[in-house]
Structures are given as C-alpha cells and as structure tokens.
Amino acid sequence: MNLRQHHEEQLKEDLDFLKELEDDLRNEDELRNRRKLEKQIEETKQRIRNREKEIDSIETNDLKPRNQFILEGCELLKNKKFHSAEEKFDQAKRLDNQSPEPWYWKAQVAVAKDNKPVALKYVQNALQLNASHLPSIVLQIKLLLLMGGNSRVEAKKIASQSYSISSEINSWLDCLEKKNLFSSIVITSCELEDKCPISIAEVKIV
C-alpha cells in the first residue's frame, strides 16, 4: 500500500465515522452527550481536512523529489545503511519542512540503531507538524511501551487521546489494553508485535 492509498483509506474511514456521529447526534436528546458528539464531529472534520490536504500534497509536482528521497532512504534503511538513509530523509525534510514523514523515518533510523530516546524525540517532531499522522502516533506509543517505567503511563495517556482516529488503531489500542501491555514490562519489539500486531507497513519497528 502506498502513502496515497493509505490516506485515502483513512479518509474513507473518517467520512464513515463522521456519518455515524451525525446520525447519533440527530437521535441524542441529552445535552451532555450532544456536546460530546459535537466535539467529536468537529475533531473528525478537522482530521478529514488534514487528510485531504495530505492527499493533495502528494499530487503536487514540487513534492515528487521529496517522495523520491524518502523512497531511497527507506531502501537504504532496509539495507542497514543508516547514515546514508538519514541523509536522504534530511534531504526530504529540507524540501518540505512541513511534512511529518522525514521526521518519522529519521525516528525509524534511530530505532534501528537502538536509540529509543532520539527516536522518540524525532517522532514527537513529526507529530508537532501533524498531530493526526497515524504511523507516528503508533510508533510513539510503541517506543514508550518499550522504554518501560513511567513511559508506559505516558503511552496510556496518548492511547486514550488517540481513539477514534481510525478503526484500525482502535483495535490495536484495545489489544494493548486487553493484553495488559500498559502496565506490564515489554521486553522486546518482537514481543509487542506478536501480542498486538498492527498491519500498517510504515509503523513496524525495524
């Protein structure tokens, strides 16, 4: 699945979710619940606007080189050429400093080098640019779980704020809660993947 297809699928899920919320609002009489639904509707509409901008940006000609740099960086990362991969992601960042993707992939390089604190810093930079960037949200939660200790508390807080972004992440977060991973020690990323896999290709820790 390429980036455009991913955003289009997430956009469809957001639109379906928005329709459900609007239907619920029409049938809801209690004021408190109406206000909660209205807030969810506005948040969902904002996500839809953000996704539409992301889809439009992929089609913009001046972003094609940036996408190529990311593709080249990913290939280098796959071959464990970490320094060269990070250089490619830095080139992508210079061409489009408003995209979360270069920071996200720099975080993946840091993960591959077993430097979780740096990876967490990079993924936070990505989320500052786009708070709804699903791969970065998932990677942030994974890193916090793998770091253990008080970081698990932060992971749970972020997870609670991330519900309703998509049905896929909802299922994953439910799995983390069910398997008690917010309060138990996760030894390795493999254990986390085995217990609660998530299918989005971009979020798999190297």
Side-chain angles (χ1 to χ4, degrees), residues 43 47 99 111 117 135 150 153 155 163 194:
E43 291 173 349
R47 283 202 306 274
S99 171
V111 169
N150 292 332
V153 177
Y163 271 98
D194 288 342

Side-chain angles (χ1 to χ4, degrees), residues 5-28:
Q5 289 172 328
H6 167 67
H7 285 316
E8 286 177 341
E9 285 192 7
Q10 296 302 313
L11 177 60
K12 182 179 182 302
E13 288 185 5
D14 283 336
L15 290 169
D16 290 342
F17 182 61
L18 177 62
K19 184 177 183 302
E20 291 177 9
L21 289 174
E22 290 174 335
D23 289 341
D24 290 342
L25 181 61
R26 281 191 290 271
N27 297 320
E28 180 57 59

Side-chain angles (χ1 to χ4, degrees), residues 50-186:
N50 289 342
R51 293 198 194 285
E52 287 174 339
K53 288 180 182 178
E54 288 167 346
I55 291 171
D56 288 342
S57 73
I58 292 171
E59 295 176 341
T60 304
N61 288 334
D62 63 354
L63 292 187
K64 288 183 179 178
R66 187 266 303 176
N67 288 337
Q68 185 61 37
F69 284 137
I70 288 178
L71 289 173
E72 292 172 2
C74 289
E75 188 63 27
L76 289 164
L77 176 57
K78 181 180 177 181
N79 292 321
K80 302 187 183 303
K81 297 179 179 179
F82 304 137
H83 179 71
S84 297
E86 191 158 11
E87 285 184 340
K88 290 292 181 181
F89 300 140
D90 283 335
Q91 286 178 289
K93 182 161 59 69
R94 285 193 291 271
L95 281 176
D96 182 10
N97 61 13
Q98 295 304 306
S99 171
E101 293 174 57
W103 283 114
Y104 166 79
W105 285 110
K106 281 171 66 69
Q108 289 285 22
V109 173
V111 169
K113 294 163 68 176
D114 198 27
N115 195 335
K116 294 181 182 66
V118 170
L120 185 61
K121 177 183 176 182
Y122 287 161
V123 83
Q124 288 169 341
N125 288 343
L127 289 167
Q128 285 178 356
L129 293 171
N130 183 352
S132 299
H133 189 239
L134 181 59
S136 292
I137 292 171
V138 174
L139 181 56
Q140 183 184 37
I141 293 171
K142 284 187 173 185
L143 286 167
L144 290 168
L145 290 174
L146 292 170
M147 289 169 73
N150 292 332
S151 296
R152 292 197 302 271
V153 177
E154 182 66 16
K156 188 168 185 176
K157 178 182 176 183
I158 293 169
S160 67
Q161 296 169 347
S162 301
Y163 271 98
S164 302
I165 291 178
S166 75
S167 60
E168 187 170 19
I169 194 171
N170 286 353
S171 298
W172 182 64
L173 294 174
D174 286 340
C175 178
L176 295 178
E177 186 70 41
K178 183 178 179 181
K179 297 293 179 64
N180 203 32
L181 295 182
F182 290 113
S183 58
S184 62
I185 298 176
V186 180

